[in-house]
Amino acid sequence: CLTTVFGQEFSITGKIIDENKIGIEGTEIILLSEGNIVNSAITDVDGNFTIKNKPGLYSLRFYFVGTVIYQTDFSLDKNIDLGTLESFDNSTQLREVEVTSKKRIIENKVDRTVFNVESSIRSTGSDGFELLKATPGVFVSGSQIGIVGKSTVSVMIDDKIVNLSGNELINYLRGISSESIKNIEVITTPPAKYDAEGNSGLINIKLKKIQEDSWAVNLRNYYMQNSYPSYLGGVSFTFNKNKLSLFTDYIRQSGHDKYWENLSNQFETESWDGSTKRKDTRDINRLAFTLDYKISEKASIGTKYIGLLDNPDTADRNITAVSDNSTNAITSTFFTKGFNKNESSNHSLNVYYIQKLDTLGKQISVDFDYFNYAEDQNRTFTTNELSPENTQIGSSFIANNTSLQEILNYSGKVDFDLPTKWATYGFGGKVSFVENKSNIAFFDLSSGVPVLDINQTNNFDYSENTQSAYVNFKKSLSEKWQTQVGFRYENTIVEGTTTSLDVSQNQVNDFSYNKLFPSIYLTYTHNENHNFSVNYSKRIGRPVFWHLNPFRVYVNSFTYAEGNPFLQPSFTDNYEINYNFKENLSFKIYYSNTIDGSMQLPVVETNDDETTLRYFRDNYVDRYQFGGTITYYFDKISWWESSNTINGYNNVTAFIKDVPTEARNGFQYHFYNYNTFNLNKNKSLKAELNYEFHSARRDYYFSATQYNKLDLGLRYSLKEKGLNFILMASDVFRSYQADFTSVVNNVGQLNNSYYDDRKILFG
């Protein structure tokens, strides 16, 4: 009767023996579900055991005198006899988990979705970057990695943030072999343990344990051709011996990229039609280093370092034609030639200590982080005005704009994870200090002698101190219901100081803000085919420090961008409802509202008959989004794998300040399709077809046309020789660009830009 009422139970039986084939009496056996203990047992005098539980996915751990001597994962859907199990040897590191039945390729947990990559076609002969394309809900577009429906994303490796973005992040992920990746976690609503910064998600790449007593070298070379050639070479080294584990990776990248921009401004009596062509230099050296030392069975210490040296020099040319609207005749043409000498360095260091408190998963982790970014920019540009007869009007305007910037960030945090038979608890705290020093100067070189413009020269010092604390609670309410509740409190103190040679421009801006950030999750699993969940979280969007500097940065003599030291943070409430059918199909409905959002607005100003275009950032908007996402992962045919996501949402922008433009609201959608095909029986030759489509949209104050992108690729793997070859064509039809139109101050603007995404890559 009890079985009928409360659900059927199945038994797991077996025997644990040592290296001498003798049964191990008194071994403690723990049955876990998603890290929570659900049952336990003790082996008898001969090492035999029996343990029962309801159907589900479980881990079984065997402890003897506090040490894990065996571990296995399995799906419990019938009575299982594990037979005779031989305990691990006396090595100091837990061996790789033995999987006795195929894991579900997609697991839906209370606060994240887990993609078990071992079952993916891309899991062999590939790398971390390529695997993200197969991960449901993740999109990879050019140099951008994101989660569908999120504005930004942070990438973690084994729960440690990687302080890289763009091409540098992609190059780092290419250095991680797909065979070394265990799974990829997609966290659309980060729990209280993580910083509340940004309306973003997290991608956590979990690596397998390094094989004991081993070392390996990985060499890779890529040649890329778009408008210009570029080259990337890299080497990584992995080592694991006794208590020491080491990983180091170095890359060198060189070459160039091209950038186009067309900008048209329609004034009442005249029009400006400008075209900019830019050549960006790739000159990058990056070193990554990870070291882990196991002090004992319950304690380990380690460090992770990433260093990046970059010299992204830029040469640009701009031609702007001014024409009379009544006659369409060109009245003058401005030619601007500029060169930006840039040197930057980026260093991040993490030192951590992990102390396990018992064999049930209780532990304390302590992290100290250091981040340093330095950038030296020196931009010189010359603007000449020519008449329709091609004769110069007036003298040349020559200027030099310099910028020195250094950012220092220190932080420390402590986390407590306390799983018990009743629930899993977590709590901790973090203290973070940010210092930013920025020195900017503007020199007029038109006379041949540098003349310092004190109105455009200043020092800007910015400091930010954030203290935070959190608590988190996760519990299985029943066989089908799970919940997780967390609260994070953050208090931020900010000071921005502007120092200028013109003392009337000096100013000090102090402000502070604090907020409680809740995160709530509730999951209902009807059976293995149907899973429902709802969640809510509050997030903060802090002003980026370079947006706070009131200094003007000139593009040419009549176009500049200006920061705002009075920017305030924005706050966002996120709501999600999810339904997952089997392991292949998921639906999500979401709503978010952002209060005091900031954006950059182009403002046209006319003074003394001179017209300038001023880009200014402020807390202009409240923003609301309501949308839905459908994700389908197809793997029903052995030679074809496909990840498909469509995301559509309606956005509403409400201006909260008086602005010389109108909000443009409406519905938009995006579609991502990633395909991998096995082309031969031994699965050594694979083809890729990836496509994305973005609909026309109305957003903020502008409208944009639709755009799309098609990528094609071939991959050949000689696994027994350790060789992999890749040939990729990106943005085949050069269609990854859109037209943007807006009206500000009754001035119509049309913008079209292209970042040279069409390219061929061979590696």
Side-chain angles (χ1 to χ4, degrees):
C1 292
L2 290 175
T3 300
T4 302
V5 173
F6 294 107
Q8 185 176 3
E9 287 189 340
F10 296 114
S11 63
I12 309 108
T13 59
K15 180 178 182 179
I16 184 77
I17 61 174
D18 60 20
E19 62 271 19
N20 297 318
K21 314 301 180 184
I22 299 175
I24 306 176
E25 180 186 3
T27 300
E28 182 183 13
I29 304 171
I30 304 296
L31 186 68
L32 301 103
S33 175
E34 296 192 2
N36 296 318
I37 299 172
V38 295
N39 208 341
S40 62
I42 300 293
T43 59
D44 63 17
V45 66
D46 296 318
N48 296 309
F49 63 89
T50 298
I51 191 169
K52 293 183 177 182
N53 221 74
K54 297 180 178 66
L57 293 172
Y58 296 102
S59 293
L60 199 64
R61 290 184 188 173
F62 295 74
Y63 291 91
F64 187 73
V65 196
T67 300
V68 177
I69 61 171
Y70 198 85
Q71 178 169 322
T72 183
D73 290 358
F74 56 88
S75 175
L76 184 60
D77 53 9
K78 60 183 179 180
N79 293 328
I80 295 176
D81 184 0
L82 296 177
T84 301
L85 309 174
E86 185 173 347
S87 67
F88 297 160
D89 59 24
N90 293 323
S91 63
T92 57
Q93 186 170 356
L94 179 64
R95 287 184 175 178
E96 192 66 29
V97 174
E98 176 187 333
V99 182
T100 57
S101 64
K102 181 183 176 182
K103 276 190 175 182
R104 294 172 65 93
I105 193 167
I106 299 172
E107 296 181 67
N108 297 295
K109 297 189 176 182
V110 66
D111 62 351
R112 65 196 66 195
T113 300
V114 180
F115 177 53
N116 293 307
V117 302
E118 290 97 336
S119 301
S120 170
I121 292 177
R122 297 183 190 237
S123 63
T124 58
S126 183
D127 54 53
F129 173 66
E130 296 297 329
L131 268 177
L132 288 178
K133 296 178 183 178
T135 304
V138 173
F139 71 87
V140 177
S141 179
S143 62
Q144 184 182 9
I145 298 171
I147 296 176
V148 176
K150 292 295 179 180
S151 55
T152 58
V153 68
S154 296
V155 175
M156 301 188 296
I157 305 293
D158 286 335
D159 296 305
K160 306 293 183 185
I161 290 288
V162 179
N163 286 307
L164 295 172
S165 60
N167 284 318
E168 287 73 38
L169 176 59
I170 291 174
N171 295 335
Y172 181 82
L173 296 176
R174 284 202 182 276
I176 302 175
S177 168
S178 58
E179 286 86 352
S180 66
I181 296 176
K182 181 181 179 182
N183 57 47
I184 298 175
E185 299 177 342
V186 181
I187 309 171
T188 58
T189 305
K193 180 178 180 178
Y194 303 102
D195 292 342
E197 169 64 32
N199 184 26
S200 60
L202 293 172
I203 298 174
N204 187 25
I205 299 175
K206 305 284 283 187
L207 302 180
K208 297 176 182 177
K209 299 292 184 181
I210 301 174
Q211 184 179 345
E212 295 178 20
D213 297 328
S214 69
W215 61 267
V217 174
N218 176 289
L219 295 169
R220 60 197 186 279
N221 291 275
Y222 297 97
Y223 173 83
M224 291 157 283
Q225 178 71 52
N226 43 30
S227 296
Y228 306 102
S230 59
Y231 166 81
L232 183 145
V235 56
S236 64
F237 176 70
T238 304
F239 175 83
N240 185 23
K241 178 72 172 177
N242 298 330
K243 299 181 179 181
L244 184 66
S245 176
L246 168 69
F247 171 79
T248 183
D249 183 63
Y250 169 78
I251 68 157
R252 164 69 181 157
Q253 185 173 7
S254 61
H256 297 89
D257 293 295
K258 195 172 184 178
Y259 168 79
W260 297 264
E261 181 181 39
N262 297 308
L263 181 63
S264 176
N265 290 281
Q266 302 294 320
F267 297 92
E268 183 177 353
T269 60
E270 65 181 19
S271 299
W272 297 355
D273 294 299
S275 174
T276 299
K277 291 184 179 180
R278 200 176 79 200
K279 184 178 182 181
D280 297 340
T281 299
R282 291 193 190 188
D283 184 7
I284 299 171
N285 290 276
R286 195 261 299 143
L287 175 67
F289 179 86
T290 301
L291 179 68
D292 184 272
Y293 181 74
K294 197 166 186 179
I295 301 172
S296 68
E297 282 298 320
K298 293 186 178 181
S300 62
I301 190 169
T303 183
K304 184 171 187 175
Y305 166 79
I306 297 177
L308 180 70
L309 301 178
D310 191 9
N311 298 305
D313 297 342
T314 300
D316 57 87
R317 292 177 179 269
N318 174 271
I319 301 175
T320 300
V322 180
S323 57
D324 186 283
N325 288 342
S326 59
T327 64
N328 290 327
I330 295 177
T331 57
S332 64
T333 304
F334 292 88
F335 293 86
T336 300
K337 180 181 179 181
F339 182 77
N340 195 54
K341 179 67 176 175
N342 191 328
E343 296 180 359
S344 65
S345 63
N346 182 333
H347 302 277
S348 64
L349 177 68
N350 168 261
V351 178
Y352 60 89
Y353 174 77
I354 299 174
Q355 177 67 58
K356 296 179 180 179
L357 302 179
D358 60 15
T359 59
L360 304 179
K362 295 185 179 68
Q363 70 174 32
I364 302 173
S365 60
V366 181
D367 286 83
F368 295 97
D369 288 278
Y370 167 81
F371 176 78
N372 174 260
Y373 175 81
E375 183 180 51
D376 183 358
Q377 293 196 63
N378 190 321
R379 174 172 171 78
T380 301
F381 65 93
T382 302
T383 299
N384 293 300
E385 183 181 6
L386 301 182
S387 68
E389 294 78 24
N390 210 31
T391 59
Q392 184 161 327
I393 302 173
S395 58
S396 301
F397 179 75
I398 308 173
N400 175 235
N401 205 180
T402 64
S403 171
L404 287 171
Q405 185 178 50
E406 183 176 15
I407 306 161
L408 291 175
N409 175 265
Y410 308 88
S411 64
K413 67 172 184 172
V414 58
D415 298 292
F416 294 83
D417 296 305
L418 304 174
T420 67
K421 290 185 178 181
W422 192 77
T424 298
Y425 303 91
F427 61 93
K430 180 179 179 180
V431 178
S432 175
F433 301 90
V434 177
E435 295 179 4
N436 171 53
K437 296 183 181 296
S438 181
N439 303 322
I440 304 179
F442 189 92
F443 298 89
D444 188 339
L445 307 179
S446 302
S447 64
V449 177
V451 178
L452 180 67
D453 187 341
I454 63 173
N455 294 316
Q456 301 184 59
T457 299
N458 77 352
N459 296 335
F460 182 70
D461 295 335
Y462 171 84
S463 63
E464 178 183 290
N465 178 11
T466 301
Q467 312 95 40
S468 57
Y470 75 91
V471 294
N472 200 68
F473 168 86
K474 182 168 68 174
K475 178 173 174 57
S476 294
L477 301 176
S478 68
E479 179 186 348
K480 296 184 177 182
W481 290 92
Q482 274 194 324
T483 187
Q484 181 171 308
V485 179
F487 296 93
R488 187 179 184 90
Y489 173 80
E490 294 190 358
N491 178 63
T492 301
I493 303 170
V494 173
E495 179 179 299
T497 303
T498 302
T499 306
S500 174
L501 296 175
D502 180 0
V503 295
S504 64
Q505 297 184 20
N506 292 352
Q507 54 182 302
V508 177
N509 302 294
D510 297 331
F511 58 93
S512 63
Y513 48 88
N514 57 77
K515 203 78 172 180
L516 186 66
F517 300 93
S519 56
I520 303 171
Y521 313 81
L522 183 64
T523 298
Y524 172 74
T525 303
H526 181 68
N527 54 41
E528 64 178 8
N529 293 329
H530 301 279
N531 174 274
F532 302 85
S533 66
V534 295
N535 60 62
Y536 162 79
S537 69
K538 179 179 282 290
R539 309 288 292 175
I540 183 173
R542 292 186 176 86
V544 182
F545 38 79
W546 55 76
H547 293 163
L548 296 168
N549 190 344
F551 183 69
R552 298 177 179 181
V553 178
Y554 279 81
V555 177
N556 52 41
S557 58
F558 47 82
T559 305
Y560 65 90
E562 182 179 5
N564 180 3
F566 298 102
L567 276 178
Q568 296 293 305
S570 62
F571 296 94
T572 302
D573 293 286
N574 291 304
Y575 305 83
E576 287 185 5
I577 300 176
N578 298 276
Y579 166 64
N580 302 287
F581 176 68
K582 294 187 176 179
E583 59 177 349
N584 297 84
L585 185 62
S586 65
F587 302 86
K588 178 172 71 174
I589 298 174
Y590 61 89
Y591 170 78
S592 69
N593 63 279
T594 301
I595 306 300
D596 292 332
S598 68
M599 57 173 283
Q600 193 177 63
L601 191 69
V603 180
V604 179
E605 298 179 342
T606 302
N607 294 308
D608 300 328
D609 296 327
E610 289 187 0
T611 302
T612 58
L613 183 61
R614 172 184 180 237
Y615 287 88
F616 186 71
R617 186 175 296 274
D618 205 348
N619 297 96
Y620 285 121
V621 298
D622 289 345
R623 183 172 167 83
Y624 309 89
Q625 283 188 350
F626 178 78
T629 301
I630 301 174
T631 300
Y632 178 61
Y633 181 82
F634 176 80
D635 62 347
K636 303 305 180 185
I637 301 176
S638 61
W639 51 267
W640 179 20
E641 175 185 275
S642 179
S643 176
N644 307 272
T645 302
I646 184 168
N647 175 52
Y649 61 91
N650 189 70
N651 63 80
V652 176
T653 297
F655 287 111
I656 56 177
K657 293 187 177 180
D658 187 19
V659 294
T661 188
E662 294 183 355
R664 299 191 182 186
N665 304 315
F667 179 80
Q668 58 182 287
Y669 65 94
H670 315 277
F671 173 66
Y672 303 92
N673 170 242
Y674 301 102
N675 300 275
T676 304
F677 306 92
N678 276 323
L679 301 183
N680 58 0
K681 290 184 178 180
N682 62 6
K683 302 180 181 180
S684 61
L685 182 62
K686 298 181 177 68
E688 294 182 20
L689 188 153
N690 305 316
Y691 177 76
E692 61 180 277
F693 176 84
H694 304 263
S695 71
R697 65 190 190 275
R698 294 167 58 86
D699 213 349
Y700 291 106
Y701 62 93
F702 61 82
S703 299
T705 59
Q706 69 181 37
Y707 60 102
N708 62 86
K709 183 182 180 186
L710 176 68
D711 298 341
L712 301 173
L714 287 172
R715 186 181 295 275
Y716 182 60
S717 176
L718 294 172
K719 188 174 181 180
E720 68 279 1
K721 296 185 178 181
L723 286 170
N724 298 300
F725 299 89
I726 180 174
L727 178 65
M728 291 289 296
S730 177
D731 194 14
V732 175
F733 299 111
R734 198 178 179 276
S735 52
Y736 198 63
Q737 56 183 325
D739 295 330
F740 294 82
T741 58
S742 63
V743 178
V744 181
N745 270 16
N746 295 319
V747 176
Q749 186 177 93
L750 171 64
N751 177 275
N752 176 280
S753 58
Y754 185 67
Y755 283 91
D756 210 10
D757 282 306
R758 183 165 63 175
K759 62 185 176 184
I760 292 286
L761 179 147
F762 174 72

